[in-house]
């Protein structure tokens, strides 16, 4: 069988399907590797406006509607794959078919009850039914949804035309012209595709890569594997609700960084250019197939990552993917995630590596202020992913990474990740503690921390101990299903608080990590800016209707402990808090009591939070060189807790955390005495 290649023709829309002198019509098919129909309302409005403008011109006027580029389908005469123009063609086919239905005339896109334009196979049955006015099946893909939306808009537009429908149909079929160009073989696709500038969305890096791979496949006569890989990727894109090219190209960039190019890029070095230089240029079929395999694996991993919302002790891989999914930014660590999932063995757990990846990402880019002190371009982690892939499954071969002036070298990727973190932050315990606390001269507000909800969710899971935690409650948004279950960040002591709490150190207590909690939206909307006492009443009333988080249920005990400590200070008879003669009077107590409660409350909560963080994000082999986290104490040493205006460098440490090697320091003694008063035990945290 041989094709009669029509070459380049300047034809009407109807003429696309009816070559001059040919009884057999041309059938156009959109290959499965193409993206689905995704024209939006604004694109269709432009076309409607063009058609209406054309109708107002003379009968000889025509409108040029762009170029349609196709390639012949082997062994199927007069059947062509659409390389460019599918968005316009899909819209025009719908317009012509719906005009035909309105006027009772035959459409030029239907011959002998067969449709002459066919979208991707996944949308083909739905599209045929839509065009031929048959019973529609349930919408199954984003492309089908967009076609249905387009049909409804077109029907409304035709209805507004009224008696002008027949004229419009003649205009569409006879006075809209295109350049119809058929390439002689699929190998020419890549030569023209990257220069195409259609009227719809601009071409993404994935579009360009896909067509380069098709070109190389045709050039070397390799089996058609690109089509099946792209079908899989398109399905994954729809499953994960990726919109447009940005998220898709994010995955592509991570693949390129891991497999080919982990370093900093020069101006103009796009993913497409790197891939076209690396893949199949020398006819290396193994490299071609390996890239396709890794690309498909990466999209599968990305789908699994975005679907992970539940932790499960029996499935540590799902747990670590859930943690990574809940973090605000994983773009820098994606190459390493993809590399690990590509390299895994069926009989081997990925969990230790994924756990190290999660910890490293949080330590390098999640903690407040960490990213500013780290490699913001993620080059080091990209190089590790590249080395990891290059080494393959030969675990005896050591990985070597340069971090600044330090060389990290080991066979275990877990150990190397720990070395990268240590090279960036020499004292890991100090990094975690100082990042999660405020010094007296620190203006940071934890409300603006990107990972605040993730941190509080991880802490909540730590409090649960034996139960799992639904991290999907972080992903849900208001208006979605179960809106009252959506977890929001909330101040414990409200921002509307006035007096000493507001004025002390520029509202320091309101900005501290210890002043935040996660609240289900149903409770958060009730609690709002209520006072601390009123919030506790709301929580008590809501217990029967909404399951409170443990961090909220335990708040009442923290408040009781803070009040007990205040009561002891107010008696003025505890010598361990300073000489009685230097104490405060009744009016000072009354004026400043709320500040003392706020300080104590934040101290107690932050001790628990930081102790958890030191367990959760400690990297392999890290030590603290004799340091111990001994708790939080934001008061002065001499017991003058109610006269904060008289604090000085001699009586008040700038740091509110206690991190040292000496448990006999003044602040440690005061903290111990506080715990005795409230009958609480706190065990210092060490990394021995």
């Amino acid at each position: 069988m041989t094709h009669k290649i029509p070459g380049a023709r300047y034809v009407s829309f109807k003429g696309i399907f009816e070559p001059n002198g040919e009884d057999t019509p041309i059938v156009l098919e959109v290959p499965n590797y193409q993206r689905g129909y995704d024209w939006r309302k604004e694109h269709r409005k432009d076309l409607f406006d063009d058609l209406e403008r054309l109708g107002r011109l003379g009968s000889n006027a025509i409108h040029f509607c762009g170029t349609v580029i196709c390639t012949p389908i082997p062994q199927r005469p007069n059947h062509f794959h659409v390389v460019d123009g599918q968005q316009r063609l899909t819209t025009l086919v719908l317009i012509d078919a719906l005009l035909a239905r309105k006027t009772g005339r035959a459409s030029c896109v239907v011959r002998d009850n067969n449709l002459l334009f066919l979208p991707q196979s996944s949308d083909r049955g739905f599209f045929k039914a839509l065009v031929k006015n048959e019973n529609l099946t349930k919408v199954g893909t984003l492309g089908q949804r967009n076609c249905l939306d387009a049909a409804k808009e077109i029907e409304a537009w035709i209805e507004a035309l009224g008696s002008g429908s027949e004229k419009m149909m003649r205009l569409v079929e006879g006075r809209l012209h295109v350049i119809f160009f058929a390439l002689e073989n699929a190998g020419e696709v890549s030569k023209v595709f990257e220069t195409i500038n259609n009227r719809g969305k601009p071409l993404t890096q994935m579009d360009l890569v896909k067509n380069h791979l098709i070109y190389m496949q045709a050039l070397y006569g390799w089996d058609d594997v690109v089509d099946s890989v792209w079908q899989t990727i398109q399905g994954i894109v729809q499953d994960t609700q990726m919109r447009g090219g940005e998220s898709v190209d994010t995955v592509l960039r991570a693949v390129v960084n891991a497999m080919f190019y982990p370093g900093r890029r020069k101006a103009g070095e796009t993913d497409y250019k790197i891939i076209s230089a690396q893949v199949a240029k020398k006819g290396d079929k193994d490299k071609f197939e390996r890239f396709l395999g890794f690309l498909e694996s990466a999209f599968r991993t990305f789908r699994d990552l975005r679907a992970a919302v539940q932790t499960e002790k029996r499935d540590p891989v799902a747990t670590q993917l859930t943690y990574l999914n809940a973090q605000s930014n994983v773009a820098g660590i994606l190459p390493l995630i993809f590399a690990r999932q590509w390299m895994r063995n069926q009989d081997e757990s990925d969990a230790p590596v994924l756990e190290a990846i999660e910890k490293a990402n949080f330590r390098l880019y999640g903690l407040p202020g960490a990213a500013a002190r780290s490699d913001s371009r993620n080059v080091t982690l990209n190089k590790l992913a590249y080395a990891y892939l290059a080494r393959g499954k030969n675990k005896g071969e050591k990985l070597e990474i340069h971090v600044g002036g330090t060389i990290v070298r080991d066979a275990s990727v877990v150990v190397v990740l720990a070395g990268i973190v240590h090279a960036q932050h020499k004292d890991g315990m100090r990094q975690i503690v100082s990042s999660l606390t405020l010094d007296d001269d620190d203006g940071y507000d934890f409300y603006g921390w990107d990972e605040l909800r993730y941190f509080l969710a991880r802490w909540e899971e730590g409090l649960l101990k034996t139960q799992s935690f639904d991290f999907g409650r972080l992903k849900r948004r208001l208006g979605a299903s179960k809106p009252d279950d959506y977890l929001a960040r909330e101040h414990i002591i409200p921002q509307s608080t006035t007096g000493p709490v507001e004025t002390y150190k520029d509202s320091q207590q309101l900005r501290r990590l210890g002043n935040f909690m996660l609240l289900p939206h149903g409770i958060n909307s009730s609690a709002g800016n209520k006072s601390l006492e009123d919030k506790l009443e709301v929580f008590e009333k809501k217990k029967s209707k909404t399951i409170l988080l443990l961090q909220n249920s335990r708040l009442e005990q923290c408040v009781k402990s803070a009040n007990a400590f205040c009561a002891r200070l107010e008696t003025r008879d505890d010598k361990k808090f300073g000489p009685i003669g230097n104490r405060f009077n009744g009016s000072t107590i009354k004026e400043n009591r709320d500040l003392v409660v706020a300080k104590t409350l934040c101290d107690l909560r932050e001790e628990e939070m930081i102790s958890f963080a030191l367990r959760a994000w400690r990297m392999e082999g890290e030590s603290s060189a004799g340091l111990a986290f001994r708790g939080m104490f934001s008061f002065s040493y001499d017991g003058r807790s109610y006269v904060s205006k008289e604090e000085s460098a001699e009586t008040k440490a700038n740091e509110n955390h206690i991190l040292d090697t000496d448990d006999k320091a003044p602040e440690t003694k005061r903290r111990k005495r506080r715990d005795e008063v409230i009958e609480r035990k706190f065990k210092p945290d060490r990394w021995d």
Side-chain angles (χ1 to χ4, degrees):
M1 297 182 181
T2 58
H3 281 77
K4 292 183 179 180
I5 307 297
R9 297 185 291 122
Y10 182 65
V11 294
S12 65
F13 174 67
K14 183 177 182 180
I16 294 174
F17 306 98
E18 299 178 0
N20 294 332
E22 294 290 336
D23 294 330
T24 304
I26 281 179
V27 179
L28 301 181
E29 299 182 21
V30 178
N32 291 328
Y33 60 76
Q34 291 274 30
R35 65 190 177 200
Y37 179 66
D38 61 0
W39 256 21
R40 298 290 184 263
K41 188 173 183 177
E42 59 268 23
H43 300 129
R44 291 186 284 270
K45 183 180 184 303
D46 284 345
L47 182 55
F48 296 158
D49 291 345
D50 288 343
L51 290 171
E52 291 172 8
R53 189 180 304 110
L54 182 58
R56 294 192 293 268
L57 300 176
S59 59
N60 293 325
I62 62 171
H63 178 73
F64 176 61
C65 203
T67 303
V68 175
I69 300 178
C70 299
T71 58
I73 301 176
Q75 307 304 314
R76 295 174 64 189
N78 295 317
H79 283 243
F80 293 83
H81 274 151
V82 178
V83 174
D84 180 59
Q86 68 137 326
Q87 303 293 331
R88 281 165 291 144
L89 285 173
T90 303
T91 310
L92 288 171
V93 167
L94 286 172
I95 289 175
D96 194 69
L98 293 174
L99 282 169
R101 188 184 306 170
K102 176 73 173 179
T103 62
R105 296 178 57 194
S107 170
C108 70
V109 298
V110 179
R111 177 73 65 88
D112 298 329
N113 205 36
N114 293 317
L115 195 58
L116 302 182
F117 175 84
L118 302 170
Q120 297 87 341
S121 59
S122 60
D123 299 336
R124 197 158 291 177
F126 184 91
F127 189 77
K128 285 181 179 179
L130 185 62
V131 169
K132 297 166 73 173
N133 200 25
E134 298 172 351
N135 291 330
L136 292 175
T137 58
K138 184 179 179 181
V139 174
T141 68
L142 183 59
Q144 292 172 18
R145 167 56 59 192
N146 290 337
C147 284
L148 185 59
D149 290 344
K152 291 177 180 178
E153 288 180 21
I154 293 168
E155 286 177 336
W157 176 68
I158 291 174
E159 192 64 30
L161 291 175
S163 59
S165 297
E166 286 202 20
K167 177 184 176 182
M168 182 59 69
M169 188 170 180
R170 292 193 299 271
L171 185 152
V172 168
E173 292 189 349
R175 291 168 56 189
L176 278 185
H177 279 58
V178 302
I179 295 176
F180 182 83
F181 186 74
L183 304 173
E184 292 194 7
N185 59 70
E188 296 179 308
V189 172
S190 183
K191 297 177 183 178
V192 299
F193 192 81
E194 60 191 274
T195 61
I196 293 171
N197 181 22
N198 62 20
R199 190 170 185 171
K201 293 183 177 180
L203 300 176
T204 67
Q205 291 292 298
M206 278 290 285
D207 293 328
L208 296 171
V209 168
K210 168 195 63 184
N211 283 277
H212 172 73
L213 296 176
I214 292 171
Y215 166 61
M216 301 310 297
Q217 190 173 253
L219 181 65
Y220 292 108
W222 294 334
D223 294 337
D224 183 5
V225 293
V226 176
D227 187 38
S228 63
V229 169
W230 244 261
Q231 285 187 58
T232 300
I233 291 174
Q234 291 284 13
I236 291 171
V237 168
Q238 291 174 2
D239 288 346
T240 53
Q241 297 298 305
M242 286 182 173
R243 298 283 181 171
E246 185 175 2
S247 294
V248 174
D249 284 348
T250 297
V251 177
L252 179 66
R253 169 150 292 207
V255 167
V256 173
N257 287 342
M259 185 163 268
F260 301 126
Y261 206 93
R264 291 185 175 87
R265 301 188 181 192
K266 300 175 183 176
E269 280 187 310
T270 63
D271 295 316
Y272 163 68
K273 288 186 177 181
I274 292 170
I275 292 169
S276 61
Q278 290 279 344
V279 178
K281 199 162 189 179
K282 298 179 181 179
D284 189 338
K285 186 178 181 181
D286 289 340
K287 198 171 190 179
F288 173 83
E289 292 179 344
R290 187 168 185 264
F291 170 73
L292 275 177
F294 184 48
L295 182 66
E296 182 177 342
S297 171
F299 273 93
R300 291 184 187 277
T301 297
F302 191 80
R303 177 193 59 195
D304 295 343
L305 175 68
R306 289 309 180 210
V309 293
Q310 195 75 39
T311 58
E312 173 57 62
K313 293 187 182 299
R314 290 172 297 182
D315 190 348
V317 173
T319 295
Q320 295 305 323
L321 287 177
T322 296
Y323 291 160
L324 287 162
N325 186 32
Q327 290 189 12
S328 297
N329 184 9
V330 295
I333 208 80
L334 273 181
L336 196 52
I337 297 174
F338 292 163
R340 177 54 221 161
Q341 295 303 87
W342 168 251
M343 295 296 300
R344 72 189 188 278
N345 294 322
Q346 293 298 323
D347 58 349
E348 179 182 280
S349 171
D350 325 21
V353 175
L354 287 177
E355 182 180 359
I357 290 172
E358 186 277 331
K359 289 180 179 180
N361 195 51
F362 188 77
R363 292 280 297 278
L364 292 171
Y365 304 105
L367 286 170
R373 301 192 299 272
S374 301
D375 180 3
S376 60
R377 299 194 181 199
N378 310 309
V379 171
T380 302
L381 295 173
N382 291 347
K383 287 181 177 179
L384 177 57
Y386 178 80
Y388 193 27
L389 279 180
R391 185 186 71 175
K393 295 179 180 179
N394 181 12
K395 295 184 179 179
E397 184 179 328
K398 291 187 181 296
L399 300 164
E400 184 175 298
I401 304 296
H402 294 255
V403 188
T406 304
I407 298 177
V408 180
R409 190 169 186 266
D410 198 275
S412 167
V413 68
V414 174
V415 174
V416 174
L417 270 172
I420 292 172
V421 173
H422 181 70
Q424 295 283 356
H425 305 285
K426 300 295 184 184
D427 190 336
M429 177 175 277
R430 190 175 298 279
Q431 181 217 358
I432 292 175
V433 173
S434 61
S435 293
L436 297 177
T437 57
L438 293 182
D439 296 340
D440 281 350
D441 56 358
D442 194 338
Y444 186 73
D445 187 345
F446 276 92
Y447 187 80
W449 181 25
D450 289 341
E451 302 295 353
L452 177 59
R453 290 200 308 145
Y454 173 63
F455 177 86
L456 292 173
R458 286 292 306 273
W459 180 43
E460 178 68 23
E461 185 185 52
L463 295 174
L464 289 170
K465 298 185 185 302
T466 59
Q467 295 175 272
S468 61
F469 180 79
D470 180 10
F471 280 81
R473 298 172 73 184
L474 299 181
K475 291 294 182 181
R476 282 197 283 273
R477 292 292 181 265
L478 297 184
S481 60
K482 297 184 179 179
D484 286 351
D485 203 28
Y486 165 80
L487 292 176
R489 58 192 173 176
E490 169 66 7
H491 292 82
I492 297 173
I493 302 165
Q495 290 179 289
S496 58
T497 298
T498 59
V501 177
E502 180 187 32
T503 57
Y504 180 77
K505 307 290 185 187
D506 192 21
S507 304
Q508 183 193 72
Q509 307 311 309
L510 303 181
R511 296 183 283 109
R512 287 177 64 175
L513 178 61
N515 191 42
F516 292 99
M517 59 183 171
L518 284 178
L519 271 183
H521 174 67
I523 298 177
N524 192 26
S525 58
S526 301
N529 262 339
K530 293 181 182 296
S531 68
L532 180 57
E533 291 74 16
D534 289 341
K535 281 185 178 179
L536 291 176
E537 287 186 16
V538 170
F539 294 169
E540 187 64 32
K541 291 177 182 178
K542 291 285 184 177
K543 277 183 181 178
S544 60
K545 296 182 179 180
T546 308
I547 298 175
L548 279 174
L549 275 65
L550 276 180
Q551 60 190 260
N552 311 135
S553 301
R554 292 157 64 105
L555 178 60
E556 184 177 1
Q557 182 56 51
C558 280
V559 174
K560 287 181 179 178
S561 296
N563 283 320
F565 182 54
C566 287
R568 175 57 65 91
L569 291 176
E570 290 167 2
T571 61
R572 298 183 289 173
D573 62 357
D574 192 328
K575 294 182 179 180
K576 291 190 177 181
F577 288 108
I580 292 177
N582 291 337
R583 293 304 182 84
F584 25 77
N585 56 39
S587 59
T588 303
I589 291 174
K590 183 177 180 180
E591 180 185 351
N592 293 279
R593 193 176 198 281
D594 287 346
L595 176 59
V596 177
V597 171
K599 281 189 172 187
T600 308
L601 181 65
C602 288
D603 285 352
L604 295 177
R605 284 173 61 83
E606 285 176 10
E607 285 179 354
E608 292 189 34
M609 292 174 169
I610 294 168
S611 291
F612 166 75
L614 291 172
R615 296 190 303 272
W617 287 288
R618 180 184 180 183
M619 299 295 296
E620 179 88 5
E622 275 191 298
S623 65
S624 58
L627 279 178
F629 171 60
R630 303 182 186 280
M632 302 292 300
F633 197 75
S634 54
F635 297 98
S636 60
Y637 304 157
D638 65 353
R640 300 173 70 81
S641 305
Y642 281 84
V643 283
S644 56
K645 294 179 181 179
E646 296 182 18
E647 290 176 357
S648 66
E650 289 73 30
T651 64
K652 172 71 172 70
N654 184 50
E655 299 87 2
N656 290 313
H657 61 263
I658 309 171
L659 185 64
D660 58 29
T661 60
D662 181 11
D663 66 354
K664 299 185 185 303
E667 59 267 42
T668 303
K669 290 182 178 180
R670 298 288 189 271
R671 198 270 304 158
K672 286 182 177 180
R673 181 57 185 151
R674 178 203 68 197
D675 287 356
E676 290 175 12
V677 168
I678 62 177
E679 298 181 346
R680 174 179 180 271
K681 293 182 179 180
F682 177 80
K683 184 179 180 181
D685 291 277
R686 295 179 174 85
W687 282 357
D688 296 328

